[in-house]
């Protein structure tokens, strides 16, 4: 089901694992949203590509470029997309790889190499939209999201970025769908990245500056669960969660949303998490509380992990409390006991 949204501007982000094999479902959602709204799309790199580029930057093993090329080629062939401009990008990647000496440091070089992941996926997606008769334009976030020079985890300069979102507004006025590279930023003439998983953050930065009605974060899971559903069999989907709760859960290790993604929209714009496949919307993040605890975990080192519980400040079982806040607690477990303890705690809380 697609929620009916009254305001016309929507930012929708697609994660790499939900577009890695096919654009079909993502394109259908964009088409649906485009019927009555102004739509800005934010894309991640295809699944596995950022990791491959990271390996490439370290190893300089050029066969990796071929693997990346093939991955995009398969998708392009499947969707009847023209690959010309992607080939230009791949040739550029090869050039940059041979010129590390032009960068101020290794991290700046790595960020430039990583940028090709999102630039390639955006390139294909724009072509796919054009094939469907939708006017669309690739937007390289390098020109819009301006940052400091903390390569690998850059800090956003919001006032400079605010001046530059006009580019997107102009495209929207022309009824075009801007497709923006997630995760990427720019510092002077250098490329930066916003931290792994940073495309969520790109989406909420743009949502906030464009005063969007909502930011949709579409991935391969439906939304936020009472615990990681890959570990806890009985985890339940949360239809609602508050900005505060999600912020705390992210801080305590929850991976459903990038840690910094809440901050730009907090208290102002709802985030809706959904699954690209079937276009199911799962969790609304707004001022409304989950009304249920959220269980999280974080690996601390090879021996220990921490388990967080958001939405409580006491537990009625024996636990070595590690840290606590007004509305959460956190305790330590041995790593080999993590999965069992998560399941056991979940059972106790939701019995
Ligand atoms: N492609 C980047 C990553 O894999 C950013 C993202 O997917 O959000 O971390
Ligand atoms: Mg993610």
């Amino acid at each position: 089901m697609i929620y009916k949204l009254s305001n016309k501007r929507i930012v929708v982000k697609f994660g790499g694992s939900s577009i890695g094999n096919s654009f079909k479902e993502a394109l259908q959602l964009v088409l649906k949203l485009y019927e009555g709204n102004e739509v800005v799309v934010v894309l991640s790199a295809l699944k596995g590509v950022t990791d491959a580029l990271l390996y490439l930057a370290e190893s300089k093993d050029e066969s990796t470029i071929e693997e990346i090329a093939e991955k995009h080629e398969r998708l392009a062939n499947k969707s009847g997309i023209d690959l010309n401009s992607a080939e230009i990008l791949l040739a550029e990647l090869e050039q940059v790889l041979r010129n590390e000496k032009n960068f101020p440091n290794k991290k700046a070089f790595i960020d430039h190499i990583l940028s090709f992941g999102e630039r390639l996926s955006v390139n294909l997606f724009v072509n796919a939209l054009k094939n469907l008769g939708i006017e669309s334009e690739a937007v390289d976030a390098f020109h819009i999201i301006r940052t400091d020079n903390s390569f690998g985890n850059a800090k956003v300069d919001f006032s400079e970025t605010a001046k530059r979102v006009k580019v997107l507004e102009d495209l929207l006025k022309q009824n075009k769908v801007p497709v923006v590279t997630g995760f990427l930023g720019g510092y002077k003439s250098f490329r930066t990245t916003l931290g792994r998983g940073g495309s969520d953050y790109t989406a909420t930065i743009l949502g906030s500056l464009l005063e969007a009605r909502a930011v949709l974060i579409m991935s391969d899971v439906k939304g936020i669960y009472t615990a990681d559903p890959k570990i806890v069999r009985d985890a339940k989907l949360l239809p609602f969660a508050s900005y505060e709760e999600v912020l705390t859960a992210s801080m305590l290790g929850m991976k459903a949303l990038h840690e910094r993604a809440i901050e730009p929209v907090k208290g102002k714009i709802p985030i809706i998490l959904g699954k690209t496949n079937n276009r199911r919307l799962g969790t609304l993040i707004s001022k409304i509380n989950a009304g249920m605890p959220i269980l999280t975990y974080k690996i601390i080192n090879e021996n220990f992990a921490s388990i967080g519980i958001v939405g409580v400040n006491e537990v009625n079982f024996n636990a070595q409390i590690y840290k606590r806040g007004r509305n959460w607690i956190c305790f330590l477990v041995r790593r080999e006991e993590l999965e069992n303890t998560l399941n056991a705690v979940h059972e106790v809380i939701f019995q």
Side-chain angles (χ1 to χ4, degrees):
M1 170 184 101
I2 304 294
Y3 292 171
K4 280 248 178 282
L5 301 168
S6 50
N7 173 318
K8 290 175 66 175
R9 198 168 277 179
I10 292 171
V11 176
V12 56
K13 175 252 170 177
F14 295 101
S17 50
S18 70
I19 49 169
N21 297 318
S22 160
F23 281 161
K24 197 170 156 233
E25 303 274 348
L27 289 168
Q28 278 173 0
L29 179 58
V30 174
L31 283 182
K32 193 83 199 152
L33 293 170
Y34 184 70
E35 275 172 20
N37 303 285
E38 294 179 340
V39 185
V40 175
V41 176
V42 174
L43 278 198
S44 294
L46 304 187
K47 184 182 162 89
V49 169
T50 304
D51 287 331
L53 288 166
L54 209 49
Y55 169 76
L56 175 67
E58 299 287 353
S59 68
K60 307 260 168 58
D61 171 1
E62 291 191 13
S63 69
T64 309
I65 301 184
E66 246 146 74
E67 283 164 30
I68 293 171
E70 276 163 23
K71 187 171 279 208
H72 289 85
E73 209 172 336
R74 271 197 299 275
L75 187 58
N77 289 341
K78 216 190 226 175
S79 320
I81 303 169
D82 173 54
L83 258 178
N84 284 346
S85 33
E87 274 160 11
I88 297 172
L89 278 172
L90 288 163
E92 191 186 324
L93 169 59
E94 203 174 312
Q95 284 308 313
V96 176
L97 191 68
R98 292 174 185 170
N99 282 294
E100 186 177 340
K101 57 182 186 309
N102 295 347
F103 291 86
N105 56 53
K106 181 95 188 170
K107 282 186 162 178
F109 168 68
I110 292 177
D111 274 3
H112 196 122
I113 296 288
L114 292 186
S115 76
F116 286 93
E118 273 71 12
R119 288 157 75 196
L120 281 163
S121 64
V122 160
N123 196 290
L124 294 194
F125 202 81
V126 164
N127 283 332
L129 276 174
K130 284 183 180 160
N131 282 352
L132 293 173
I134 297 212
E135 288 225 50
S136 160
E137 210 159 297
V139 178
D140 188 340
F142 166 76
H143 300 292
I144 296 187
I145 312 255
R146 300 310 285 181
T147 71
D148 70 359
N149 62 352
S150 321
F151 297 101
N153 197 15
K155 201 163 159 256
V156 175
D157 177 343
F158 277 91
S159 66
E160 189 52 42
T161 302
K163 289 181 204 154
R164 296 175 180 234
V165 294
K166 194 170 172 300
V167 174
L168 300 176
E169 284 170 326
D170 288 345
L171 290 170
L172 292 174
K173 271 188 210 131
Q174 299 164 45
N175 281 327
K176 289 188 178 165
V177 174
V179 183
V180 188
T181 54
F183 181 51
L184 310 182
Y187 166 75
K188 296 186 177 164
S189 62
F190 298 105
R191 292 183 169 275
T192 58
T193 59
L194 306 178
R196 294 304 303 268
S199 300
D200 297 343
Y201 190 33
T202 307
T204 59
I205 292 167
L206 297 180
S208 151
L209 296 176
L210 291 166
E211 295 180 7
R213 170 70 177 82
V215 176
L216 266 55
I217 304 282
M218 306 301 292
S219 69
D220 59 352
V221 288
K222 267 194 230 153
I224 297 175
Y225 287 74
T226 51
D228 184 343
K230 289 187 191 115
I231 297 182
V232 178
R233 295 169 297 274
D234 300 332
K236 295 174 184 59
L237 183 69
L238 295 170
F240 304 99
S242 69
Y243 300 109
E244 281 302 338
E245 288 168 327
V246 178
L247 207 55
T248 310
S250 306
M251 175 189 86
L252 297 175
M254 186 188 72
K255 289 281 174 337
L257 196 70
H258 187 264
E259 211 178 323
R260 285 189 280 163
I262 290 287
E263 179 226 301
V265 291
K266 194 175 166 205
K268 297 185 297 189
I269 300 167
I271 302 176
I272 303 170
L273 303 188
K275 189 168 172 168
T276 306
N277 193 352
N278 296 333
R279 308 189 297 271
R280 292 258 187 271
L281 301 180
T283 304
L284 172 70
I285 305 173
S286 69
K287 291 177 186 166
I288 304 167
N289 283 325
M292 275 188 257
I294 308 172
L295 216 57
T296 65
Y297 70 92
K298 211 177 200 171
I299 307 294
I300 295 178
N301 56 35
E302 47 178 45
N303 296 321
F304 286 99
S306 65
I307 291 183
I309 314 178
V310 181
V312 305
N313 46 29
E314 271 322 317
V315 285
N316 57 0
F317 52 85
N318 207 2
Q320 184 194 346
I321 300 294
Y322 172 52
K323 284 181 193 159
R324 69 186 330 140
R326 191 183 54 79
N327 198 26
W328 57 272
I329 58 160
C330 186
F331 60 93
L332 291 179
V333 288
R334 298 201 67 84
R335 260 190 77 166
E336 65 269 22
E337 286 159 13
L338 176 62
E339 299 203 355
N340 283 342
T341 312
L342 276 171
N343 275 288
V345 170
H346 193 271
E347 211 178 308
V348 170
I349 295 179
F350 292 98
Q351 68 195 348

